[in-house]
Amino acid sequence: MSDFDVGRIVPATRDLFGAIAMRRRGLALLPTVTGPEDRVAAEVARLDGIDVRGLTCSDVGPIMQRAAQSSASLPMLSLTTITSVEAAQRARFHGADGVCVPAASLELAKGAQSMRMLTLAAVASVAEAVALRDQGERAFFTEGDRDAVAAIAKVLPAPALLVAAVSDLDVTAIRGLVGVVDALAVPSSVHAADGFEDLLDEVD
């Protein structure tokens, strides 16, 4: 039995693409919201107040839904790669304005796009990125260490959109990725630390 009501799904209205398509002229920092649930609204209000461009969430569920409902303007990217049309519907029900789609299952993108969500092709290697680029894909997600992300970024130059989640992300790594990717998922260890607002102003 599904844990959401398909009949209550409405199309996305927040423009994730417009918020993060930097064309490598800056770097959009997308804080990852983790909870606990009773603190999500306050956390989103803080982030909205310093003008982040959007949010990310690793788990599709109540935390994402609370975060998405806590701001009328901040688009939400789900970092959970969808594996079925139902998963895309579930992500949208819980507030996602964008989802990651497996490189081998890009037909799932049509279902997500029908709900007006941005779809990012999830790529794990340079070869995979090149193959999809040559097939006409223009929006991508990748995760890994900084060198792996930079290698993929090299074969996906602007105007391709590239969002990344970098392991062990810190301020130095963020600065080094300006002009390399369009947007970064930023863990709470970074976005909750002193100086994040100044960093945001510096790289955006």
Side-chain angles (χ1 to χ4, degrees):
M1 182 176 177
S2 177
D3 63 346
F4 65 94
D5 183 354
V6 175
R8 293 175 57 197
I9 295 174
V10 296
T13 58
R14 293 175 292 202
D15 184 6
L16 179 60
F17 179 84
I20 64 176
M22 306 291 284
R23 291 181 175 266
R24 316 294 164 88
R25 297 171 184 160
L27 181 59
L29 302 182
L30 307 177
T32 300
V33 180
T34 58
E37 189 176 349
D38 62 355
R39 294 177 59 187
V40 167
E43 183 71 352
V44 171
R46 176 184 72 84
L47 294 166
D48 207 352
I50 61 174
D51 294 328
V52 299
R53 290 178 173 267
L55 304 170
T56 63
C57 196
S58 298
D59 298 311
V60 177
I63 299 256
M64 177 188 287
Q65 191 169 45
R66 177 67 64 87
Q69 292 172 346
S70 296
S71 172
S73 59
L74 292 179
M76 170 66 71
L77 171 63
S78 172
L79 299 178
T80 301
T81 302
I82 62 170
T83 55
S84 66
V85 172
E86 182 180 5
Q89 293 172 331
R90 185 169 186 266
R92 178 61 206 139
F93 178 83
H94 287 93
D97 301 290
V99 289
C100 303
V101 180
S105 304
L106 290 181
E107 65 272 12
L108 292 174
K110 293 179 181 178
Q113 290 165 355
S114 72
M115 293 175 278
R116 298 184 185 172
M117 289 191 289
L118 173 66
T119 57
L120 303 174
V123 293
S125 68
V126 169
E128 204 169 50
V130 168
L132 290 178
R133 178 201 68 194
D134 292 348
Q135 290 172 25
E137 287 299 319
R138 291 295 178 264
F140 300 86
F141 173 79
T142 192
E143 56 186 330
D145 62 32
R146 181 176 165 184
D147 290 342
V149 167
I152 287 174
K154 188 173 182 179
V155 300
L156 298 174
L161 174 68
L162 180 58
V163 181
V166 176
S167 55
D168 300 321
L169 190 69
D170 59 16
V171 172
T172 299
I174 289 172
R175 288 189 173 115
L177 287 165
V178 176
V180 177
V181 301
D182 292 280
L184 278 174
V186 179
S188 58
S189 59
V190 176
H191 71 71
D194 291 342
F196 179 69
E197 184 174 1
D198 291 338
L199 177 65
L200 186 71
D201 291 340
E202 175 188 336
V203 303
D204 195 293

